[in-house]
Amino acid sequence: MNKAIVFGATSGIGKQLTEILIENGYKVAITGRRLEKLQELLDRYPNDIIVKQNDIQQVDEVEKVFNEIVKEFGKVDLIIQSSGVGHINPELEWDKENETILTNVLGVTKLYDLAYNLFKKQEFGHLVGITSIASLRGNRGAPAYFASKAYQKAYLESLYIKTKTITTNKVFITDIRPGFVDTAMALGDGIFWMVSLEKATKQIFKAIKNKKRVAYISKRWAIIAFILKHVPTWLLKKAT
Protein backbone atom coordinates (compact mmCIF):
# COMPACT_ATOMS: atom_id res chain seq x y z
CA MET A 1 0.00 0.00 0.00
CA ASN A 2 1.27 3.47 -0.88
CA LYS A 3 1.69 5.82 2.06
CA ALA A 4 1.37 9.60 2.01
CA ILE A 5 1.64 12.54 4.38
CA VAL A 6 -0.47 15.64 3.84
CA PHE A 7 0.63 18.72 5.77
CA GLY A 8 -2.27 21.14 6.02
CA ALA A 9 -5.19 18.72 5.66
CA THR A 10 -7.76 20.56 7.78
CA SER A 11 -9.46 22.29 4.84
CA GLY A 12 -9.26 23.28 1.19
CA ILE A 13 -6.83 21.59 -1.17
CA GLY A 14 -5.13 19.50 1.52
CA LYS A 15 -8.37 18.04 2.79
CA GLN A 16 -9.75 17.30 -0.67
CA LEU A 17 -6.49 15.70 -1.80
CA THR A 18 -6.53 13.48 1.28
CA GLU A 19 -9.91 12.10 0.23
CA ILE A 20 -8.70 11.52 -3.34
CA LEU A 21 -5.61 9.71 -2.11
CA ILE A 22 -7.69 7.40 0.07
CA GLU A 23 -10.01 6.69 -2.85
CA ASN A 24 -6.91 5.66 -4.80
CA GLY A 25 -5.63 3.21 -2.22
CA TYR A 26 -3.29 5.32 -0.11
CA LYS A 27 -2.91 5.24 3.65
CA VAL A 28 -2.56 8.87 4.69
CA ALA A 29 -1.11 10.69 7.68
CA ILE A 30 -2.76 14.10 8.03
CA THR A 31 -1.56 17.11 9.98
CA GLY A 32 -2.81 20.57 10.83
CA ARG A 33 -3.51 22.91 13.71
CA ARG A 34 -7.26 22.29 14.04
CA LEU A 35 -7.58 18.87 15.61
CA GLU A 36 -11.38 18.82 15.28
CA LYS A 37 -11.09 19.13 11.49
CA LEU A 38 -8.58 16.30 11.32
CA GLN A 39 -10.86 14.21 13.52
CA GLU A 40 -13.71 14.68 11.02
CA LEU A 41 -11.59 13.01 8.35
CA LEU A 42 -10.53 10.25 10.73
CA ASP A 43 -14.17 9.55 11.58
CA ARG A 44 -14.95 9.14 7.88
CA TYR A 45 -11.91 7.00 7.07
CA PRO A 46 -10.91 5.28 10.33
CA ASN A 47 -8.89 2.54 8.63
CA ASP A 48 -7.04 4.77 6.19
CA ILE A 49 -5.86 7.76 8.23
CA ILE A 50 -3.58 8.57 11.10
CA VAL A 51 -3.83 12.02 12.71
CA LYS A 52 -1.02 14.19 14.02
CA GLN A 53 -1.86 17.67 15.25
CA ASN A 54 0.83 20.07 14.12
CA ASP A 55 1.56 23.79 13.74
CA ILE A 56 4.02 24.17 10.88
CA GLN A 57 5.35 27.40 12.41
CA GLN A 58 6.80 25.34 15.27
CA VAL A 59 9.70 23.79 13.37
CA ASP A 60 10.93 21.56 16.20
CA GLU A 61 7.42 20.15 16.49
CA VAL A 62 7.29 19.65 12.71
CA GLU A 63 10.37 17.44 12.90
CA LYS A 64 9.02 15.49 15.87
CA VAL A 65 5.69 14.82 14.14
CA PHE A 66 7.42 13.99 10.86
CA ASN A 67 9.68 11.42 12.52
CA GLU A 68 6.75 9.87 14.38
CA ILE A 69 4.88 9.36 11.11
CA VAL A 70 7.91 7.90 9.34
CA LYS A 71 8.50 5.49 12.22
CA GLU A 72 4.86 4.37 12.14
CA PHE A 73 4.69 4.06 8.35
CA GLY A 74 8.12 2.53 7.83
CA LYS A 75 8.34 4.12 4.39
CA VAL A 76 6.69 7.13 2.76
CA ASP A 77 5.89 7.36 -0.94
CA LEU A 78 4.38 10.84 -1.16
CA ILE A 79 4.53 14.06 0.86
CA ILE A 80 2.22 16.96 0.05
CA GLN A 81 2.86 20.37 1.58
CA SER A 82 -0.44 22.25 1.54
CA SER A 83 -0.08 24.40 4.66
CA GLY A 84 -0.16 28.10 3.95
CA VAL A 85 -1.07 31.60 5.09
CA GLY A 86 -2.05 34.54 2.90
CA HIS A 87 -3.01 38.09 3.79
CA ILE A 88 -3.97 41.13 1.77
CA ASN A 89 -1.71 43.56 3.59
CA PRO A 90 -1.09 46.84 1.72
CA GLU A 91 -0.33 48.64 4.99
CA LEU A 92 2.46 46.14 5.76
CA GLU A 93 1.15 45.29 9.22
CA TRP A 94 3.98 43.34 10.77
CA ASP A 95 1.90 40.67 12.50
CA LYS A 96 0.50 39.62 9.12
CA GLU A 97 3.89 39.70 7.39
CA ASN A 98 5.47 37.76 10.24
CA GLU A 99 2.80 35.05 10.24
CA THR A 100 3.22 34.61 6.50
CA ILE A 101 7.00 34.30 6.77
CA LEU A 102 6.88 31.89 9.71
CA THR A 103 4.44 29.61 7.89
CA ASN A 104 5.27 29.92 4.19
CA VAL A 105 9.04 30.27 4.52
CA LEU A 106 10.37 28.94 7.84
CA GLY A 107 7.92 26.10 8.37
CA VAL A 108 7.75 25.06 4.74
CA THR A 109 11.55 25.02 4.41
CA LYS A 110 11.81 22.72 7.42
CA LEU A 111 9.29 20.35 5.91
CA TYR A 112 10.90 20.41 2.45
CA ASP A 113 14.27 19.55 3.99
CA LEU A 114 12.84 16.71 6.06
CA ALA A 115 11.08 15.29 3.03
CA TYR A 116 14.09 15.55 0.74
CA ASN A 117 16.46 13.94 3.23
CA LEU A 118 14.03 11.10 3.86
CA PHE A 119 13.61 10.41 0.17
CA LYS A 120 17.36 10.59 -0.40
CA LYS A 121 17.82 7.97 2.33
CA GLN A 122 15.00 5.79 0.95
CA GLU A 123 16.18 6.43 -2.64
CA PHE A 124 12.58 6.99 -3.68
CA GLY A 125 9.68 9.32 -2.95
CA HIS A 126 7.67 12.23 -4.29
CA LEU A 127 7.54 15.72 -2.73
CA VAL A 128 4.68 17.98 -3.84
CA GLY A 129 4.60 21.65 -2.88
CA ILE A 130 1.47 23.72 -3.35
CA THR A 131 2.92 27.11 -4.33
CA SER A 132 0.91 29.58 -6.44
CA ILE A 133 0.72 31.58 -9.64
CA ALA A 134 1.71 34.34 -7.19
CA SER A 135 5.24 32.89 -7.18
CA LEU A 136 6.00 34.50 -10.53
CA ARG A 137 5.93 38.23 -9.77
CA GLY A 138 5.58 40.79 -6.98
CA ASN A 139 2.39 42.44 -5.78
CA ARG A 140 1.75 45.66 -3.84
CA GLY A 141 -1.28 44.33 -1.97
CA ALA A 142 0.28 41.17 -0.49
CA PRO A 143 4.08 41.49 -0.61
CA ALA A 144 4.96 38.79 1.91
CA TYR A 145 2.58 36.26 0.40
CA PHE A 146 3.83 36.72 -3.17
CA ALA A 147 7.47 36.75 -2.03
CA SER A 148 7.00 33.63 0.09
CA LYS A 149 5.55 31.75 -2.87
CA ALA A 150 8.48 32.85 -5.04
CA TYR A 151 10.77 31.48 -2.33
CA GLN A 152 8.94 28.15 -2.33
CA LYS A 153 9.15 27.93 -6.11
CA ALA A 154 12.90 28.51 -6.09
CA TYR A 155 13.42 26.07 -3.23
CA LEU A 156 11.52 23.29 -4.98
CA GLU A 157 13.52 23.92 -8.13
CA SER A 158 16.71 23.70 -6.08
CA LEU A 159 15.62 20.37 -4.61
CA TYR A 160 14.78 19.11 -8.09
CA ILE A 161 18.32 20.00 -9.21
CA LYS A 162 19.72 18.23 -6.14
CA THR A 163 17.97 14.98 -7.11
CA LYS A 164 20.72 14.53 -9.71
CA THR A 165 22.83 13.11 -6.88
CA ILE A 166 20.28 10.35 -6.19
CA THR A 167 21.28 7.67 -8.68
CA THR A 168 18.04 5.68 -8.57
CA ASN A 169 16.18 8.50 -10.37
CA LYS A 170 13.15 7.67 -8.22
CA VAL A 171 12.87 10.91 -6.23
CA PHE A 172 10.46 13.41 -7.77
CA ILE A 173 9.73 17.07 -7.00
CA THR A 174 6.46 18.66 -8.15
CA ASP A 175 5.58 22.34 -7.96
CA ILE A 176 1.79 22.87 -8.10
CA ARG A 177 0.95 26.48 -9.02
CA PRO A 178 -2.76 27.16 -8.58
CA GLY A 179 -4.40 30.28 -9.86
CA PHE A 180 -7.58 31.16 -7.98
CA VAL A 181 -9.24 28.17 -6.32
CA ASP A 182 -12.49 28.45 -4.40
CA THR A 183 -10.99 28.14 -0.91
CA ALA A 184 -10.35 30.45 2.05
CA MET A 185 -6.89 31.16 0.60
CA ALA A 186 -8.35 33.00 -2.43
CA LEU A 187 -7.30 36.59 -1.80
CA GLY A 188 -9.54 39.49 -2.81
CA ASP A 189 -12.97 40.13 -4.31
CA GLY A 190 -14.31 39.67 -7.84
CA ILE A 191 -11.73 36.99 -8.48
CA PHE A 192 -10.75 36.22 -12.09
CA TRP A 193 -10.90 32.64 -13.43
CA MET A 194 -11.88 31.08 -10.12
CA VAL A 195 -12.05 27.27 -10.35
CA SER A 196 -13.88 24.90 -8.07
CA LEU A 197 -12.01 22.99 -5.40
CA GLU A 198 -13.13 19.70 -6.93
CA LYS A 199 -11.79 20.58 -10.39
CA ALA A 200 -8.54 21.90 -8.95
CA THR A 201 -7.79 18.85 -6.82
CA LYS A 202 -8.58 16.43 -9.66
CA GLN A 203 -6.06 18.23 -11.83
CA ILE A 204 -3.52 18.29 -8.99
CA PHE A 205 -3.86 14.55 -8.43
CA LYS A 206 -3.40 13.92 -12.15
CA ALA A 207 -0.22 16.01 -12.08
CA ILE A 208 1.01 14.00 -9.09
CA LYS A 209 0.31 10.69 -10.83
CA ASN A 210 2.16 11.90 -13.93
CA LYS A 211 5.13 13.09 -11.83
CA LYS A 212 4.89 16.54 -13.37
CA ARG A 213 7.71 18.92 -12.55
CA VAL A 214 5.42 21.99 -12.68
CA ALA A 215 1.63 22.13 -13.07
CA TYR A 216 -0.63 25.18 -13.33
CA ILE A 217 -4.12 24.75 -11.86
CA SER A 218 -6.33 25.07 -13.77
CA LYS A 219 -4.34 24.45 -16.95
CA ARG A 220 -5.36 27.74 -18.56
CA TRP A 221 -3.34 29.59 -15.91
CA ALA A 222 -0.26 28.53 -17.90
CA ILE A 223 -1.28 31.28 -20.34
CA ILE A 224 -1.28 33.87 -17.55
CA ALA A 225 2.05 32.51 -16.32
CA PHE A 226 3.61 33.03 -19.75
CA ILE A 227 2.36 36.61 -19.85
CA LEU A 228 3.49 37.37 -16.29
CA LYS A 229 7.00 36.12 -17.01
CA HIS A 230 7.36 38.59 -19.87
CA VAL A 231 5.50 41.68 -18.65
CA PRO A 232 7.91 44.50 -17.66
CA THR A 233 7.82 45.62 -14.04
CA TRP A 234 6.82 49.18 -14.98
CA LEU A 235 3.64 47.82 -16.54
CA LEU A 236 2.86 45.75 -13.45
CA LYS A 237 3.31 48.90 -11.40
CA LYS A 238 0.61 50.60 -13.46
CA ALA A 239 -1.76 47.65 -13.56
CA THR A 240 -1.67 46.05 -10.10
Side-chain angles (χ1 to χ4, degrees):
M1 175 182 285
N2 287 331
K3 296 176 181 178
I5 310 174
V6 179
F7 279 80
T10 56
S11 63
I13 290 173
K15 180 180 180 181
Q16 192 84 2
L17 281 175
T18 296
E19 296 181 12
I20 292 174
L21 290 171
I22 291 168
E23 291 166 3
N24 283 270
Y26 281 78
K27 186 174 181 65
V28 186
I30 57 174
T31 81
R33 285 183 290 182
R34 293 176 292 173
L35 183 59
E36 71 280 2
K37 295 295 183 181
L38 300 175
Q39 187 63 46
E40 288 174 9
L41 278 170
L42 179 62
D43 291 343
R44 290 179 60 191
Y45 305 103
N47 299 317
D48 303 300
I49 281 179
I50 64 172
V51 165
K52 297 288 183 179
Q53 188 176 21
N54 167 248
D55 181 351
I56 198 170
Q57 293 185 16
Q58 307 299 321
V59 292
D60 291 340
E61 187 67 19
V62 170
E63 184 165 8
K64 176 176 177 290
V65 165
F66 186 91
N67 290 335
E68 287 174 356
I69 295 169
V70 172
K71 183 176 180 180
E72 188 163 345
F73 272 175
K75 58 108 177 181
V76 179
D77 301 281
L78 173 66
I79 295 173
I80 298 173
Q81 159 44 33
S82 186
S83 301
V85 169
H87 295 291
I88 298 291
N89 190 25
E91 302 303 321
L92 303 180
E93 297 172 34
W94 177 244
D95 59 336
K96 294 178 180 178
E97 301 291 271
N98 189 48
E99 183 185 19
T100 301
I101 293 164
L102 289 175
T103 300
N104 296 1
V105 176
L106 184 66
V108 167
T109 302
K110 181 66 172 182
L111 178 55
Y112 283 174
D113 287 359
L114 289 167
Y116 180 85
N117 287 330
L118 171 65
F119 293 155
K120 182 178 181 181
K121 181 179 178 181
Q122 290 184 165
E123 298 189 324
F124 70 89
H126 190 177
L127 171 62
V128 177
I130 309 295
T131 65
S132 173
I133 192 76
S135 66
L136 300 179
R137 300 302 294 264
N139 179 273
R140 64 173 147 214
Y145 177 75
F146 277 64
S148 70
K149 290 301 179 178
Y151 173 89
Q152 291 178 12
K153 174 177 72 69
Y155 210 94
L156 288 169
E157 183 176 53
S158 299
L159 294 180
Y160 166 74
I161 294 168
K162 281 177 67 65
T163 62
K164 181 181 179 180
T165 64
I166 304 173
T167 57
T168 58
N169 294 317
K170 292 181 179 179
V171 174
F172 302 95
I173 310 292
T174 295
D175 178 355
I176 301 293
R177 300 177 187 170
F180 295 119
V181 179
D182 192 10
T183 71
M185 284 292 292
L187 302 180
D189 301 316
I191 294 174
F192 172 71
W193 269 1
M194 177 81 80
V195 298
S196 70
L197 180 59
E198 182 179 9
K199 179 179 180 179
T201 49
K202 283 182 178 179
Q203 288 190 13
I204 292 169
F205 183 65
K206 184 176 180 181
I208 293 171
K209 285 200 302 181
N210 292 336
K211 305 289 195 300
K212 296 280 286 185
R213 169 68 196 98
V214 174
Y216 291 97
I217 308 298
S218 64
K219 294 176 183 178
R220 59 188 176 182
W221 278 94
I223 301 168
I224 302 299
F226 177 83
I227 295 169
L228 284 173
K229 289 175 183 178
H230 294 86
V231 169
T233 305
W234 65 262
L235 186 56
L236 286 176
K237 183 179 179 182
K238 286 179 175 292
T240 59

